[in-house]
Amino acid sequence: MIHCKFVDRTFYNPGNGYTVASYYTREELPSEITRENRNAPGIFQAYGIELPTGKNLEVELDGVWKKGKYGMQLDVSYYHVDVPETAAGIEAYLSSDLIKGIGPVTARRIVEKFGKRALYVLDHTPEKLLDIPGISEAKLEEILDGYHKSKTVRELMVYLAPFGVTTKKMEKIQEQFGEGAYHIIRENPFRLCEIKGFGFLTVDPIAMKVKNFQPDNPMRVKAAIAHVMQKAEEDGHLFLTSEEIVEKAGLLLNNKKRKWEVSKRAIKDAGNEMIHADRTLVGNGGGIYTRQGFEAEADAAGELVRLMFREKEKRDIQTLLKQILKEEEIILSKTQEQAVYQAFAYPVSIITGGPGTGKTTLIRIILKIQEQLEPDSMIMLCAPTGRARRRMYEKTGFPAMTIQKAVGMTGADGEGDWNHPKKLPDDLIIADEFGMCDMYLAQRFFYCVRQEATLIMIGDKDQLGSVGPGSVFKEMIESGVIPVTVLDACFRQEEGSTIVENARRINRNQSQLLYDDTFQFRSASKPEDAAEIIREIYGKYWREHGKRTEDIQVLSPFRKNTAAGSDALNESLREMVNPKQRGRAEIKNGKKLFRTGDVVMQTENKDEISNGDLGNVVDIYRKDGKMVMQVDFGDDRVVEFMDDDYWPLTLGYAMSVHKSQGNECPVVIIPVLGCFWRMLQRNILYTGITRATKKVILVGSKQAIAKAIHNNRMAKRNTNFALRLRQAYQSMRELYKKSA
């Protein structure tokens, strides 16, 4: 540990906080530094993440001396800011970048007024600062907020910095728990798991060291169970069996060893306490839910059944339908007619069908009938993502919005940050791509639909399930209590019909696909070969389409650990279409590099931007002392990403099939290789090719394609939504019988 004083900062990367700075010390330095700095004795260079800087700031640095091309430097692993005792030291501390709201001028005035008692005044009698010119009550509040946050961060720094927790993460801890953050974390370090970026695997070694926990400490076991439940929801499940929880938590607690240092009994006891005392888990129907997940499933079922039980005015739309079909020169199949009649006969109905089966045509016809039946009625079109919403508008000419915006969802996934829910005023609500709707969004959506409204949900039951937990659309269909129309006739005959025909063949388990200019196949046996072919194809169509990246999309079943995964393909394709060059700004956020002109993808729901939305980096610049990246997501949705925040972004030249749902693109390229064996599934291939409107190119082996087509063993999600719908429906029927 070296006691030293800050001298100068020579480098700072705003993307990741990497800092190079020089310091002065009176302590003995390595002989190499003494020889190199004969003209500046006591001066040395240090580097690390977010090193403390500020004129005359005194700190203690700990780390390892390392020799590089810039000479001997200190690689800092931990630092501590001294609470100064001199007036000059206090002024340096108050004006440093550690405290927001106090600049050099204000710091000097505070010290001139109170001298060495300045910190005592800030702690005990802060109202005295109002006597200083320029400090109003609002300014005082800002100063105290910055000072208290700094104090909390200092305490956390001493406690957590030895474990590699950066200053930025300590600020996140402070934001989460407030001024009591240090005491909360000291009491139970596993509370860190509540903060994004602190999973159980990160927190566990910290907690074991700072608290000297025994492996079977109940706090540790409960944190492991919570982690298991979180991962289950990420995999689409709403519940696990107690046996699954014990097995998964045991492997986590015992470092993947099946030698049970933490016993099954200890895990069961902790789980029972979480159910009965803490009430964070719920046992129901043979499964264990998080309380939030259980309430979402139960409430969604109750709210949807509530909408179904109302008297709907009988309307004879037969004459009106014939008139509209004649005017539009449209002929409907019997199932399409059935869908229209059901839409106006029942308060809630479902329409499902694959590409080319006329779902969009039905939406337009239903809208025309509603406008003629009730010219003053309010109508809302919506979908779970920005892209699906935009496509709905383009195909119907009718305004549409995301479901999240409609029901007041403003926060990120898992944060539960919603505006106060209000009933939607609309008389007719049509929700498209409803297969992408997870249990939490469905719960809020059904709650917000008013009793008098008509709700029509549309989707493709053969596509992949939602990214979030649950299997809402499929289970609504399987419940048997909601009127459903299955569209099976294909009407799309324009360019792209080979794509539609092959989608139908895939769903019929037929591996003999049609190949032509619209639906192509390129052979590749290795991921590296496939990646090179994809790069060549992407470049060809990118140039043919006027260098419009939005016209070409690569969809890979895998993300990591392969040259044909979306991570590696993103880097390769970016270097081809948007290479590093002079004048093109770049910025790093964590380990991710972005540059002006990049295509990026949002990876979580946040405000107006949905998980999976694509945008373009339009500018990188400095604002209020921070670096900012500006991303245009279309529809006047321009977002600024500040350099000291976590960015839910990745490159968007290639993405997973899951992330592509709700999107359409003229040209879609999909690697299908034997090494993807875990992801060779019918619904993944079907979903991928149905994203294309003009052209599909499969790259890989026909054997792998056939394997995917024949594999219809979709991973079963643990959810009881269909059962709850049937139970709620039966209960409501009995209630109506008694009241009749």
Side-chain angles (χ1 to χ4, degrees):
M1 190 80 76
I2 300 174
H3 186 272
C4 52
K5 183 181 289 188
F6 170 75
V7 176
D8 188 33
R9 187 169 74 181
T10 54
F11 179 79
Y12 178 68
N13 184 328
N16 57 14
Y18 180 79
T19 310
V20 180
S22 55
Y23 295 86
Y24 167 77
T25 183
R26 293 180 178 177
E27 297 179 18
E28 186 176 348
L29 294 170
S31 57
E32 291 95 328
I33 294 180
T34 305
R35 287 197 300 270
E36 291 169 1
N37 294 350
R38 287 176 183 169
N39 296 328
I43 300 292
F44 68 95
Q45 277 205 326
Y47 62 88
I49 303 299
E50 298 290 355
L51 296 187
T53 59
K55 187 178 179 182
N56 296 321
L57 194 66
E58 295 191 21
V59 297
E60 289 182 326
L61 303 179
D62 195 10
V64 179
W65 292 104
K66 292 184 179 179
K67 189 162 187 175
K69 64 178 181 178
Y70 298 110
M72 187 70 75
Q73 295 177 313
L74 183 66
D75 180 0
V76 178
S77 58
Y78 167 75
Y79 67 81
H80 171 67
V81 178
D82 287 348
V83 178
E85 297 181 357
T86 66
I90 292 170
E91 183 179 339
Y93 171 65
L94 293 178
S95 63
S96 73
D97 53 8
L98 294 169
I99 302 179
K100 312 299 181 188
I102 303 180
V105 174
T106 304
R108 185 171 65 251
R109 288 176 178 172
I110 292 172
V111 173
E112 286 175 352
K113 177 79 173 175
F114 300 107
K116 291 192 289 186
R117 295 184 65 253
L119 297 183
Y120 178 88
V121 170
L122 279 162
D123 282 325
H124 301 287
T125 56
E127 66 278 1
K128 290 184 177 180
L129 269 66
L130 293 171
D131 296 335
I132 298 173
I135 298 183
S136 61
E137 290 192 4
K139 181 65 175 175
L140 176 60
E141 190 175 331
E142 181 186 1
I143 288 171
L144 292 177
D145 182 58
Y147 178 70
H148 290 142
K149 282 182 179 178
S150 168
K151 188 176 180 181
T152 303
V153 170
R154 281 203 320 272
E155 292 172 329
L156 289 168
M157 199 178 294
V158 173
Y159 195 55
L160 297 175
F163 305 101
V165 181
T166 66
T167 305
K168 284 183 181 178
K169 285 191 174 181
M170 290 178 197
E171 289 173 353
K172 284 188 176 181
I173 299 169
Q174 198 275 338
E175 288 172 11
Q176 176 80 11
F177 300 114
E179 292 180 24
Y182 168 70
H183 300 288
I184 290 170
I185 297 306
R186 185 157 187 169
E187 176 65 25
N188 182 4
F190 286 106
R191 293 288 302 275
L192 288 171
C193 294
E194 298 172 22
I195 303 170
K196 195 172 186 67
F198 286 93
F200 178 84
L201 296 176
T202 301
V203 176
D204 190 38
I206 297 174
M208 294 288 277
K209 287 178 183 176
V210 299
K211 288 287 282 187
N212 197 26
F213 276 154
Q214 292 299 310
D216 61 353
N217 183 289
M219 286 185 189
R220 180 173 184 256
V221 179
K222 288 180 182 180
I225 293 173
H227 178 82
V228 167
M229 296 304 295
Q230 178 191 337
K231 289 298 179 185
E233 289 204 352
E234 289 175 9
D235 291 335
H237 303 300
L238 279 162
F239 69 84
L240 294 175
T241 65
S242 57
E243 292 79 8
E244 287 173 320
I245 294 173
V246 170
E247 178 70 17
K248 293 175 184 292
L251 292 175
L252 199 62
L253 291 162
N254 296 308
N255 298 315
K256 297 186 179 179
K257 298 173 185 173
R258 294 186 179 273
K259 185 179 178 182
W260 290 81
E261 183 179 9
V262 179
S263 69
K264 293 184 179 182
R265 182 72 266 160
I267 299 171
K268 288 180 180 179
D269 288 346
N272 284 330
E273 193 170 322
M274 293 172 79
I275 293 172
H276 300 296
D278 303 341
R279 298 178 60 78
T280 54
L281 300 182
V282 175
N284 185 274
I288 309 295
Y289 294 75
T290 64
R291 178 159 294 279
Q292 185 183 17
F294 174 75
E295 290 176 353
E297 187 177 79
D299 291 352
E303 292 294 344
L304 185 55
V305 168
R306 167 186 64 80
L307 296 174
M308 295 168 62
F309 276 84
R310 73 169 173 86
E311 289 295 326
K312 186 171 172 66
E313 183 183 353
K314 301 296 182 183
R315 297 290 187 91
D316 183 5
I317 64 166
Q318 188 173 11
T319 304
L320 189 53
L321 176 59
K322 285 181 179 178
Q323 177 188 326
I324 290 171
L325 294 179
K326 184 177 180 181
E327 290 172 357
E328 298 288 325
E329 297 181 345
I330 295 173
I331 299 175
L332 297 183
S333 69
K334 286 186 177 181
T335 54
Q336 285 181 309
E337 283 191 7
Q338 176 192 338
V340 175
Y341 287 129
Q342 287 194 157
F344 288 94
Y346 297 99
V348 177
S349 62
I350 292 173
I351 301 171
T352 181
T357 54
K359 297 190 295 293
T360 303
T361 299
L362 288 180
I363 293 175
R364 290 201 300 263
I365 290 171
I366 290 169
L367 289 174
K368 285 182 177 294
I369 293 174
Q370 178 70 16
E371 287 179 322
Q372 292 198 36
L373 281 178
E374 298 180 38
D376 296 328
S377 65
M378 295 182 67
I379 301 171
M380 183 179 77
L381 303 190
C382 57
T385 69
R387 290 173 304 176
R389 176 211 66 76
R390 193 158 50 250
R391 193 155 53 87
M392 209 176 180
Y393 166 65
E394 289 167 355
K395 291 194 172 186
T396 66
F398 202 94
M401 65 197 310
T402 63
I403 295 176
Q404 289 89 338
K405 183 175 181 180
V407 300
M409 180 181 180
T410 59
D413 293 323
E415 290 181 3
D417 185 9
W418 301 77
N419 287 336
H420 183 71
K422 296 178 181 178
K423 296 294 183 183
L424 297 167
D426 306 276
D427 303 294
L428 172 65
I429 299 173
I430 303 177
D432 198 11
E433 295 286 358
F434 209 77
M436 300 169 63
C437 198
D438 66 30
M439 200 76 256
Y440 293 115
L441 185 55
Q443 172 199 22
R444 187 53 56 110
F445 179 55
F446 296 149
Y447 173 83
C448 289
V449 178
R450 68 190 185 96
Q451 187 70 38
E452 298 77 17
T454 295
L455 173 62
I456 303 166
M457 292 168 283
I458 301 172
D460 185 344
K461 63 181 176 59
D462 296 314
Q463 281 189 26
L464 285 167
S466 58
V467 175
S471 189
V472 177
F473 193 62
K474 288 180 181 176
E475 291 212 67
M476 286 195 302
I477 294 172
E478 291 169 4
S479 71
V481 300
I482 304 170
V484 177
T485 303
V486 180
L487 305 177
D488 51 9
C490 180
F491 299 93
R492 190 181 291 174
Q493 299 299 327
E494 71 272 17
E495 185 181 359
S497 60
T498 310
I499 299 171
V500 175
E501 174 58 28
N502 281 335
R504 293 165 65 81
R505 292 189 179 201
I506 289 169
N507 267 343
R508 293 195 207 106
N509 196 26
Q510 297 172 356
S511 57
Q512 294 300 315
L513 303 182
L514 300 176
Y515 293 100
D516 56 15
D517 184 59
T518 302
F519 200 100
Q520 301 176 17
F521 170 78
R522 292 284 298 274
S523 178
S525 57
K526 298 178 182 178
E528 294 76 16
D529 297 338
E532 187 55 41
I533 292 170
I534 289 170
R535 182 181 164 92
E536 169 206 322
I537 296 170
Y538 191 99
K540 174 179 180 290
Y541 288 107
W542 176 64
R543 287 185 288 272
E544 285 183 4
H545 285 247
K547 297 186 176 181
R548 286 169 49 86
T549 52
E550 57 266 43
D551 284 357
I552 312 113
Q553 189 64 61
V554 178
L555 304 179
S556 177
F558 268 36
R559 190 165 72 85
K560 297 181 178 181
N561 305 323
T562 170
S566 60
D567 282 359
L569 288 170
N570 263 321
E571 295 292 340
S572 172
L573 296 173
R574 191 260 295 274
E575 293 313 311
M576 176 174 65
V577 303
N578 191 33
K580 180 181 178 68
Q581 65 184 47
R582 191 179 184 89
R584 187 169 287 171
E586 294 185 346
I587 190 170
K588 287 193 79 173
N589 183 252
K591 295 180 180 179
K592 298 174 186 174
L593 173 71
F594 302 98
R595 62 175 63 116
T596 306
D598 271 339
V599 179
V600 294
M601 180 179 68
Q602 181 88 357
T603 58
E604 62 182 40
N605 291 324
K606 186 74 173 176
D607 300 328
E608 298 277 327
I609 316 302
S610 301
N611 189 347
D613 277 359
L614 292 174
N616 291 95
V617 179
V618 292
D619 204 358
I620 295 171
Y621 50 89
R622 184 171 289 278
K623 177 181 178 181
D624 298 331
K626 295 180 180 180
M627 292 301 294
V628 177
M629 184 170 80
Q630 191 179 73
V631 179
D632 185 353
F633 287 96
D635 299 328
D636 297 321
R637 298 176 304 158
V638 179
V639 181
E640 288 186 334
F641 292 89
M642 310 297 288
D643 66 6
D644 56 353
D645 292 333
Y646 160 77
W647 295 355
L649 293 175
T650 186
L651 292 175
Y653 303 94
M655 67 174 72
S656 69
V657 176
H658 249 119
K659 293 287 189 185
S660 72
Q661 290 187 89
N663 191 24
E664 281 189 351
C665 189
V667 180
V668 170
I669 308 166
I670 309 173
V672 188
L673 298 153
C675 63
F676 291 170
W677 60 273
R678 283 194 299 112
M679 303 300 284
L680 293 177
Q681 298 172 19
R682 184 186 300 173
N683 60 343
I684 292 178
L685 181 60
Y686 172 86
T687 302
I689 71 167
T690 55
R691 299 308 89 208
T693 59
K694 300 291 184 184
K695 198 179 296 286
V696 170
I697 304 102
L698 302 181
V699 180
S701 75
K702 289 189 176 180
Q703 183 180 7
I705 294 169
K707 184 174 181 180
I709 292 170
H710 297 319
N711 178 15
N712 197 31
R713 297 188 301 275
M714 290 179 281
K716 177 74 171 68
R717 293 187 172 193
N718 293 342
T719 162
N720 284 319
F721 189 48
L723 174 63
R724 296 195 194 284
L725 282 171
R726 287 192 288 269
Q727 290 173 338
Y729 186 83
Q730 187 61 33
S731 297
M732 191 68 80
R733 279 189 65 181
E734 291 173 2
L735 192 64
Y736 265 68
K737 283 180 183 178
K738 288 179 182 178
S739 62

